[in-house]
Amino acid sequence: MTMEKRGVSVCMLMLMLFSLSSMAPSVSAASTTTRKLVPQNTKYEYYSERLGRNLLANGLGSTPPMGWNSWNHFGCKIDEKMIKETADAVISTGLAKLGYTYVNIDDCWAEIVRDVKGIDYLKYDNCNTDGSKPTIRYPVMTRALMKAGRSIFFSLCEWGDMHPALWGFKVGNSWRTTNDITDTWESMLSRADMNEVYAELARPGGWNDPDMLEVGNGGMNKDENIVHFSIWAISKAPLLLGCDVRNMTKETMEIVANKEVIAVNQDPLGIQAKKVRSEGDLEVWAGPLSGYRVALLLVNRGPRRLPITALWDDIGIPPNSVVEARDLWEHKTLKTRFVGNLTGTTGSHACKMYVLKPIA
């Protein structure tokens, strides 16, 4: 968190959490830009080789972590009762079964000494430091975790100051690529843009982190929250809820519990999507999935309802392929079969999300 937000004196490492896994039942621009996707097999083989050489190689983070973090909604207003109620709610609502298994007590209530039940996931913040560089401080924690006698997910949170995506994979399992998010459309999109720059550096075992989810905190409307969740999912970002899960609305639950969108985030291929085409306020995001499929996201940042077209050439599908499209928010497979492109009409501050599968 930012220095302005977090002035507590002991907050250099301030934070820890426990896993629920054992508790759970069984950018606008007038010009057009285009970016190509990296071929699926090439990238997968590269990542597999790199993962085997990684010093950390703790076997964790094969897919992005999912859970809940206290900071965005509660800040320092936390206590034992609230944390226990939250853990119970994650289980009773079924969120734990969907994969939301980490409960992260973020700042203001840290324990100096921890037992074996309190070191599943460590988020190391960057505030109130001794002035040394993150590239020096964070590896010290890496070495300490390697001596802990158990595997611990290590989340680096130095706010992207020294481009941790360039060096984080040898140090931790995820790294913040941005400063803190706030619960606004503009803040959410700016974090998405900053995070997307580093897409090719994410891989199984090490993920780009554009900060926690704001879905359910009230600052964005339903369509904006769907865009937020969709971008985080297709970007293979950690899905860390930041709302009060004890009092989620039906609308919020429907967004964060969308199994088909979560499946894109948790796809075993582990390749972060890119913004492959941008025309003014209209964007096409895409990334390969396992099983020769492609995740596609059409985003309308502008004030008017408009059609957005995704071209096969931009998203890595052979030009004459016949493609079946699954709409992940409507939960239906479209009857139309698409050749060469797909067009979706998208409302203001809204999106369409598909999984595309070539069938001929």
Side-chain angles (χ1 to χ4, degrees):
M1 298 301 162
T2 59
M3 292 285 287
E4 293 77 16
K5 279 185 179 178
R6 312 190 48 189
V8 256
S9 60
V10 276
C11 128
M12 178 174 151
L13 151 64
M14 218 29 249
L15 190 199
M16 254 304 340
L17 19 276
F18 51 93
S19 169
L20 288 178
S21 56
S22 61
M23 301 168 60
S26 196
V27 160
S28 295
S31 61
T32 298
T33 58
T34 304
R35 296 171 63 183
K36 297 289 186 181
L37 294 173
V38 174
Q40 177 172 320
N41 292 339
T42 301
K43 192 156 191 175
Y44 182 74
E45 291 168 3
Y46 170 75
Y47 284 171
S48 297
E49 179 183 2
R50 292 286 292 169
L51 185 60
R53 294 180 181 179
N54 181 26
L55 177 65
L56 186 65
N58 56 17
L60 301 178
S62 59
T63 59
M66 297 174 61
W68 173 85
N69 184 292
S70 62
W71 182 259
N72 280 1
H73 187 86
F74 294 96
C76 284
K77 297 178 181 178
I78 55 177
D79 55 32
E80 182 179 9
K81 179 176 181 291
M82 186 276 288
I83 296 299
K84 286 184 175 180
E85 289 176 350
T86 297
D88 289 342
V90 170
I91 295 172
S92 64
T93 58
L95 288 170
K97 286 185 176 181
L98 292 172
Y100 294 99
T101 55
Y102 289 114
V103 170
N104 187 179
I105 306 168
D106 194 334
D107 205 357
C108 308
W109 193 35
E111 291 288 345
I112 302 302
V113 179
R114 305 183 187 281
D115 60 24
V116 294
K117 295 182 179 180
I119 47 177
D120 286 321
Y121 178 122
L122 173 68
K123 178 187 175 190
Y124 186 168
D125 236 319
N126 200 34
C127 44
N128 297 333
T129 72
D130 60 3
S132 60
K133 291 183 178 180
T135 49
I136 301 299
R137 274 184 285 109
Y138 282 93
V140 175
M141 180 58 72
T142 303
R143 292 191 292 272
L145 295 179
M146 292 172 70
K147 297 177 182 178
R150 61 184 297 192
S151 295
I152 300 171
F153 188 100
F154 187 17
S155 169
L156 282 60
C157 183
E158 63 89 78
W159 317 317
D161 290 352
M162 292 189 67
H163 307 286
L166 300 177
W167 48 268
F169 188 64
K170 294 182 179 179
V171 181
N173 298 109
S174 68
W175 42 84
R176 277 279 293 279
T177 54
T178 73
N179 211 314
D180 290 1
I181 193 173
T182 57
D183 190 15
T184 67
W185 172 250
E186 294 75 17
S187 175
M188 181 273 291
L189 288 179
S190 70
R191 273 54 181 175
D193 290 339
M194 288 185 277
N195 188 67
E196 192 267 348
V197 170
Y198 303 105
E200 292 189 13
L201 298 171
R203 67 202 77 173
W207 307 102
N208 293 319
D209 178 6
D211 205 6
M212 297 163 284
L213 292 162
E214 292 283 6
V215 179
N217 281 331
M220 290 180 274
N221 63 35
K222 179 180 180 180
D223 285 342
E224 292 171 339
N225 278 322
I226 288 175
V227 172
H228 181 13
F229 195 73
S230 299
I231 293 179
W232 262 237
I234 202 170
S235 299
K236 301 299 188 290
L239 298 182
L240 300 176
L241 303 175
C243 62
D244 184 353
V245 298
R246 303 169 303 171
N247 298 295
M248 284 194 302
T249 64
K250 180 182 178 182
E251 179 181 289
T252 297
M253 186 65 180
E254 287 177 350
I255 294 172
V256 303
N258 186 321
K259 294 180 180 180
E260 295 190 79
V261 176
I262 291 172
V264 169
N265 179 261
Q266 297 290 298
D267 184 76
L269 195 60
I271 296 179
Q272 180 175 331
K274 296 181 181 181
K275 192 188 307 182
V276 297
R277 181 173 287 270
S278 177
E279 300 184 41
D281 291 323
L282 309 181
E283 297 177 346
V284 177
W285 297 63
L289 299 173
S290 58
Y292 303 102
R293 299 170 301 148
V294 173
L296 174 65
L297 181 63
L298 310 178
V299 179
N300 182 353
R301 299 188 178 208
R304 296 183 295 122
R305 183 177 178 85
L306 290 168
I308 306 175
T309 298
L311 305 175
W312 282 189
D313 185 52
D314 289 337
I315 64 178
I317 296 177
N320 296 318
S321 299
V322 179
V323 169
E324 177 183 272
R326 175 74 177 177
D327 188 318
L328 304 191
W329 287 105
E330 295 294 330
H331 301 293
K332 64 182 181 181
T333 301
L334 304 185
K335 293 181 180 179
T336 302
R337 297 297 182 260
F338 300 89
V339 180
N341 65 80
L342 178 152
T343 298
T345 300
T346 309
S348 170
H349 291 201
C351 68
K352 293 283 188 179
M353 190 172 186
Y354 306 96
V355 167
L356 307 181
K357 183 177 181 179
I359 56 175

